[in-house]
Amino acid sequence: MSKPRKQIHLAAHFPGVNNTTVWSDPAAGSQIGFSSFVHLARTAERAKFDFLFLAEGLRLREQGGRIHDLDVVGRPDTFTVLAALAAVTDRLGLAGTINSTFNEPYEVARQFASLDHLSAGRAAWNVVTSWDEFTGENFRRGGYLAREDRYERAAQFLTAVTVLLDSWRGDEIVADQESGTFLRDADAGQFAHRVAQFDISGHFNVPRSPQGRPVIFQAGDSEQGREFAASAADAIFTRHGTLEAGKAFYADVKGRLARYGRSPQELLILPGVTFVLGDTPSDAEEKARLVRRQQVSGPTAIAFLERVWNRDLSAYDPEGPLPDVEPLFDADPIVRGRADSRGQDQLETVARWRAVAEQDKLSIRELVIAETGRQSFVGTPQHVAQALDEFVQADASDGFILAPHLTPGGLDEFADTVVPLLQERGVFRTEYEGTTLRDHLGLAPLPVQDRADLSGAAS
Amino acid sequence: MSRSAAPLHLAVALDGAGWHPAAWREPGVRPADLLGAPYWAALAAEAERGLLDFATIEDSLGLQSSLPTGPDGRTDQVRGRLDAVLTAARIAPLTKNLGLIPSAVVTHTEPFHLSKAVATLDHVSGGRAGMQVRVSGRQEEAAHFGRRRLPQVSLAELDSPAGQELLLELFGEAADYVEVLRRLWDSWEDDAEIRDVATGRFIDRDKLHYIDFTGRHFSVKGPSITPRPPQGQPVVAALAHAPVPFRLVATSADVGFVTPHDTAQAAEIVAEIRDQQEQAGRGGETVHLFADLVVFLDEEAGRAAERRARLDAALDAPYTSDAAIFAGTPAELADVLEDFAHSGLTGFRLRPATLPHDLARITDGLVPELQRRAAFRTAYEAGTLRGLLGLPRPANRYAAA
């Protein structure tokens, strides 16, 4: 017991465009109206959360050649909503996914620098890449990037953005009305950067922002993704919601930091998790079962099965047995616009699903619910608070990104019941101590780069 | 042509510490605050207090410069700015009626991104969004993106064949860009979201549409990821000084900003744009034409001219502008505006020489004066920008009749 208890970091994920979000519930509100974003942001800030997180997609998902219509469809522009939320919150971090494939560094750098100014130091960026021609059809360059080049693109994009942001050290603006000197330095913002993906030069036009650069998140689990995070990210957004998987991932990623001259607390590990609360354990379990049925309607169950089988199964009854037809592994993917989940384990999945359905006498829908829908934390507020705390103290994570299943009120109960219990346990803040997101995350302020170093790094 | 009984429309153009390069040195200005949200929120609140139709926010993809071709290396003027769309989003929740028109460069940016950004500005402002289309012919800005070479053409060479070719290319691309914006805004029908529990469908996908735009500079498939904004299509504005940009206003914009220096010139510009509007088949549509004016305003006679002289003394040469410069009292400005309005202009975008001073004289001097003359609203009559401008909510081009 000599080790001090780790402080938990908490974030709220605005319910997204997958079947985790239950739109069919009578309590489900608008996915696009600004009031929904305000509600969730204010709840998160009332509960002293570290940040709010918004995901992004740049092409509506399709299945079987048609726009997927069973889940929430449609969302706002990430930057614009975060800037607007800066007006209705004071401390809450504002994090968003921005794609490095279908953007250019100059524009993204000025958008994040602007967001950081407009929020007084609360911006964060989840750097993602996509490579597919499908998404590229909405953009000038089309699908230009080879799949194997996407991490190079992401790493070079992030470096280019950093070069731009660091082109202002932060002391250039004198604004002395008497002498008429506005800038100390006529070279303010000057940059030149030439690598495989970029050849850019000129003057960056947003002076240094309060955090210097946005807090950097990386999401993704591959070997390359882990290495990228260890080298360049401040936080990693994982999917390891179980204790054992979490501990293994945590040890692996934190173990990579020393190679980059970084200490373990310089990269936070934050799994995305779901939760269901109840007055009693059995009440919570019953609610969780109900939510899973809402998340997996009959048509959604068929759609899931089609993604695994990679073929049209619309003729099958979701309340009936699994199809006896074989999967089509060699055909073009039936789904476009989301991560391709097909791989070597596809055969294994089909075999396991058949065995489980046979053994437990499950219908298609029951099987999909059993195999895909389980929430990460289910129980009374006491039980969930304890489980979250144990998860963090066991070094399975540094905190959580909570994805409520309801918009916009899905975090209310957690804020009212679980957060006070975490505060009582002494593992979660009762007041914000700092003003910037780096402060909340316990990250030291960034040192100001010397421009001479930068031009060296860029050559 | 005489001014109809329709009241004037008034807008303010916000940029840095004001449009005069020495504005930041004026007493009462806190130049270190220009990059903070409170500064912009206060200006928006002041504009809204004056019942103005909208505020525009300037932007560029390079450092401000006194030279048309590239950076000037000056250290005695405001340099550095914030992204205008995000600044508008930051002040949207703090205002209720004021229209918000950030400017955005279309030459190097993605129409898909800007479409959803402006649609989202419309969602977060409850239907008060617009955008001012800007083209960039600057080589320096092209080098910031490193993806395209633009020929070096000086201002003086714009009338040469090379200059005209560049203008046609940039403004042609801008017209394509606006076409893509509008198609993407229409790519969701208003009632596409159905939440039909019986069939498990969140949307009626037959009410989402591919836009399938193919042009010289980009092709965009669609549909947008963002549902149709409250106004259907946010307001598109453009500043125009010459025949090629006049055509962009006539074919693509809802509001054109023009820069006549006298009423005869105003009448010529209006006639030319109206003619092109007719040729573009938009004769029946409302396209507002606002004259831009730089204003120095003080109640006391002679004071504004003194201030202008004092500000000019801080420069190497007196400040000049593409727009006419006015220095005088609010009542004198009201006379000028009424006079200009006889040439068929429907409104004015005033560029305050200094902020917040000249904006405050607009709201507490000019606006009451125009109200006394029954030439300006006394209360906001609509909750959307289209409503304030008398523009109908456009029908969706993809919806079955």
Side-chain angles (χ1 to χ4, degrees):
Chain A
M1 287 300 288
S2 60
K3 203 171 143 195
R5 294 183 77 74
K6 280 164 68 186
Q7 289 294 304
I8 297 177
H9 296 282
L10 290 178
H13 190 324
F14 190 85
V17 296
N18 51 51
N19 78 308
T20 303
T21 306
V22 174
W23 54 259
S24 58
D25 193 283
S30 172
Q31 290 285 136
I32 190 68
F34 187 51
S35 61
S36 289
F37 295 88
V38 173
H39 183 120
L40 186 67
R42 286 193 169 147
T43 304
E45 185 163 80
R46 168 165 69 81
K48 315 298 176 196
F49 272 37
D50 293 65
F51 60 90
L52 174 108
F53 179 81
L54 275 188
E56 182 192 49
L58 298 175
R59 175 99 191 246
L60 298 182
R61 199 204 323 167
E62 293 183 5
Q63 183 156 343
R66 304 192 69 192
I67 292 168
H68 186 66
D69 58 0
L70 303 176
D71 298 338
V72 166
V73 183
R75 45 186 157 190
D77 178 67
T78 303
F79 279 122
T80 311
V81 163
L82 294 179
L85 286 175
V88 298
T89 53
D90 288 320
R91 290 286 191 273
L92 185 69
L94 302 166
T97 298
I98 293 294
N99 190 294
S100 64
T101 308
F102 300 110
N103 278 295
E104 297 298 331
Y106 196 90
E107 208 183 358
V108 168
R110 68 191 307 273
Q111 286 168 316
F112 271 116
S114 297
L115 178 63
D116 205 46
H117 277 291
L118 292 166
S119 65
R122 298 187 278 141
W125 174 19
N126 181 37
V127 187
V128 303
T129 57
S130 48
W131 53 275
D132 57 304
E133 287 169 32
F134 179 70
T135 305
E137 285 178 351
N138 282 333
F139 296 96
R140 285 180 187 257
R141 296 178 76 175
Y144 67 97
L145 195 63
R147 183 174 189 167
E148 59 274 19
D149 291 339
R150 63 201 171 122
Y151 277 101
E152 176 193 273
R153 169 81 184 184
Q156 291 191 4
F157 193 100
L158 180 56
T159 303
V161 167
T162 305
V163 166
L164 291 164
L165 296 175
D166 285 347
S167 68
W168 291 76
R169 294 181 306 269
D171 60 354
E172 293 88 348
I173 296 183
V174 189
D176 180 13
Q177 292 172 304
E178 202 59 41
S179 69
T181 304
F182 188 84
L183 285 185
R184 172 173 290 132
D185 178 1
D187 293 334
Q190 199 167 3
F191 68 93
H193 187 66
R194 189 170 189 179
V195 290
Q197 290 281 336
F198 306 103
D199 181 2
I200 56 177
S201 63
H203 291 80
F204 187 54
N205 72 348
V206 186
R208 196 172 182 85
S209 73
Q211 292 189 115
R213 69 163 197 214
V215 171
I216 303 297
F217 294 172
Q218 203 274 332
D221 210 19
S222 64
E223 175 63 26
Q224 278 176 305
R226 291 178 191 210
E227 208 58 32
F228 177 49
S231 68
D234 300 306
I236 184 161
F237 185 172
T238 80
R239 286 189 293 180
H240 295 287
T242 68
L243 189 67
E244 286 317 309
K247 283 164 78 169
F249 181 82
Y250 191 96
D252 176 83
V253 174
K254 296 263 183 180
R256 296 172 189 242
L257 289 165
R259 256 179 281 157
Y260 298 96
R262 306 177 72 199
S263 65
Q265 59 273 22
E266 288 180 67
L267 176 65
L268 299 176
I269 295 179
L270 303 173
V273 297
T274 54
F275 61 91
V276 177
L277 302 171
D279 294 336
T280 63
S282 60
D283 175 40
E285 281 298 339
E286 182 51 37
K287 272 194 197 164
R289 261 193 299 278
L290 194 72
V291 170
R292 289 205 290 274
R293 285 188 67 79
Q294 288 180 310
Q295 288 170 330
V296 184
S297 67
T300 295
I302 295 293
F304 255 101
L305 211 64
E306 287 180 339
R307 294 206 278 277
V308 175
W309 259 250
N310 199 43
R311 64 187 294 170
D312 180 3
L313 299 172
S314 56
Y316 288 84
D317 177 5
E319 309 299 343
L322 285 191
D324 41 19
V325 294
E326 290 306 310
L328 295 178
F329 293 129
D330 297 332
D332 286 341
I334 192 169
V335 174
R336 298 201 294 175
R338 62 178 281 154
D340 187 355
S341 58
R342 299 180 312 148
Q344 294 170 334
D345 56 351
Q346 204 76 0
L347 262 174
E348 232 172 86
T349 305
V350 171
R352 190 180 73 244
W353 282 24
R354 280 195 160 137
V356 171
E358 172 110 4
Q359 186 191 312
D360 297 343
K361 309 254 176 295
L362 300 180
S363 70
I364 291 173
R365 186 177 178 201
E366 287 165 339
L367 175 79
V368 172
I369 289 172
E371 288 291 311
T372 66
R374 179 152 290 277
Q375 294 91 351
S376 322
F377 295 91
V378 177
T380 65
Q382 286 80 1
H383 170 233
V384 169
Q386 184 181 343
L388 293 173
D389 188 16
E390 284 172 1
F391 199 94
V392 170
Q393 304 311 330
D395 282 344
S397 81
D398 296 306
F400 305 92
I401 298 177
L402 300 169
H405 65 268
L406 275 183
T407 305
L411 192 65
D412 296 1
E413 191 183 0
F414 186 96
D416 292 335
T417 62
V418 180
V419 167
L421 293 168
L422 293 172
Q423 291 167 332
E424 273 174 34
R425 298 173 80 92
V427 293
F428 191 64
R429 70 175 68 84
T430 54
E431 279 305 331
Y432 289 109
E433 287 132 38
T435 59
T436 69
L437 179 54
R438 292 191 75 85
D439 291 340
H440 306 338
L441 295 173
L443 301 168
L446 285 172
V448 174
Q449 280 262 38
D450 188 12
R451 186 122 24 98
D453 293 351
L454 273 177
S455 45
S459 60
Chain B
M1 202 190 306
S2 76
R3 187 168 74 78
S4 68
L8 293 175
H9 295 279
L10 268 191
V12 62
L14 302 177
D15 186 20
W19 286 74
H20 193 284
W24 68 274
R25 298 180 63 181
E26 282 292 279
V29 174
R30 292 194 304 274
D33 295 351
L34 298 180
L35 299 172
Y39 175 77
W40 296 95
L43 294 177
E46 184 63 28
E48 188 163 74
R49 205 171 61 84
L51 307 176
L52 303 191
D53 291 72
F54 58 85
T56 60
I57 303 172
E58 294 302 305
D59 205 354
S60 63
L61 294 175
L63 218 45
Q64 298 96 321
S65 174
S66 55
L67 304 174
T69 46
D72 59 7
R74 294 187 80 121
T75 56
D76 63 339
Q77 298 179 2
V78 171
R79 294 292 179 265
R81 62 176 12 140
L82 301 175
D83 180 90
V85 172
L86 297 187
T87 305
R90 177 65 176 76
I91 57 188
L94 308 176
T95 48
K96 274 180 82 100
N97 291 98
L98 183 71
L100 299 166
I101 303 190
S103 64
V105 174
V106 299
T107 307
H108 303 292
T109 59
E110 292 284 356
F112 192 85
H113 286 316
L114 195 64
S115 165
K116 66 186 161 64
V118 177
T120 301
L121 181 61
D122 208 43
H123 281 290
V124 303
S125 66
R128 295 183 285 125
M131 58 95 59
Q132 180 185 335
V133 177
R134 276 194 58 156
V135 303
S136 167
R138 287 171 181 255
Q139 288 186 309
E140 143 123 341
E141 294 189 6
H144 292 163
F145 288 78
R147 309 232 330 102
R148 179 170 176 177
R149 277 181 196 286
L150 293 173
Q152 174 134 34
V153 174
S154 73
L155 266 191
E157 294 165 332
L158 273 187
D159 289 330
S160 70
Q164 285 299 299
E165 192 184 326
L166 177 63
L167 275 186
L168 284 171
E169 173 178 334
L170 294 175
F171 281 90
E173 181 182 5
D176 280 358
Y177 201 109
V178 175
E179 173 68 14
V180 169
L181 295 178
R182 293 189 189 277
R183 286 194 197 179
L184 285 169
W185 290 330
D186 278 354
S187 66
W188 288 58
E189 292 185 39
D190 291 316
D191 53 357
E193 185 181 314
I194 52 172
R195 297 193 185 222
D196 185 44
V197 178
T199 57
R201 293 176 306 147
F202 182 77
I203 50 159
D204 176 352
R205 58 187 166 196
D206 292 336
K207 294 188 173 181
L208 266 56
H209 303 276
Y210 297 105
I211 69 162
D212 285 319
F213 180 89
T214 305
R216 223 182 112 202
H217 296 281
F218 40 76
S219 299
V220 179
K221 179 78 182 173
S224 179
I225 61 158
T226 305
R228 196 164 194 243
Q231 293 185 103
Q233 297 176 15
V235 171
V236 176
L239 171 65
H241 304 98
V244 172
F246 287 160
R247 195 181 315 148
L248 178 70
V249 170
T251 58
S252 306
D254 302 299
V255 181
F257 304 126
V258 296
T259 54
H261 284 247
D262 56 48
T263 53
Q265 227 180 31
E268 276 172 38
I269 293 170
V270 170
E272 181 168 349
I273 295 178
R274 293 297 178 220
D275 184 46
Q276 297 212 17
Q277 191 186 332
E278 203 71 47
Q279 287 177 34
R282 296 182 74 207
E285 294 178 37
T286 300
V287 175
H288 281 288
L289 296 178
F290 282 31
D292 273 15
L293 290 173
V294 177
V295 296
F296 295 82
L297 283 177
D298 284 292
E299 281 297 338
E300 197 183 316
R303 185 78 182 274
E306 274 170 39
R307 213 155 43 82
R308 178 181 179 182
R310 176 159 53 81
L311 278 150
D312 275 351
L315 306 180
D316 317 326
Y319 170 59
T320 58
S321 170
D322 57 330
I325 301 177
F326 172 89
T329 67
E332 288 165 351
L333 179 58
D335 291 342
V336 170
L337 300 189
E338 292 211 294
D339 206 25
F340 261 120
H342 289 300
S343 37
L345 296 163
T346 55
F348 298 90
R349 181 173 73 149
L350 304 178
R351 305 179 185 176
T354 69
L355 287 167
H357 177 92
D358 292 302
L359 172 58
R361 298 297 83 76
I362 292 168
T363 59
D364 64 21
L366 176 67
V367 164
E369 179 62 33
L370 289 172
Q371 287 169 334
R372 274 191 289 278
R373 303 179 186 195
F376 193 62
R377 70 171 64 86
T378 54
Y380 278 116
E381 70 277 13
T384 68
L385 177 54
R386 280 184 172 272
L388 293 178
L389 293 173
L391 298 168
R393 189 174 191 276
N396 191 322
R397 75 193 64 200
Y398 299 111

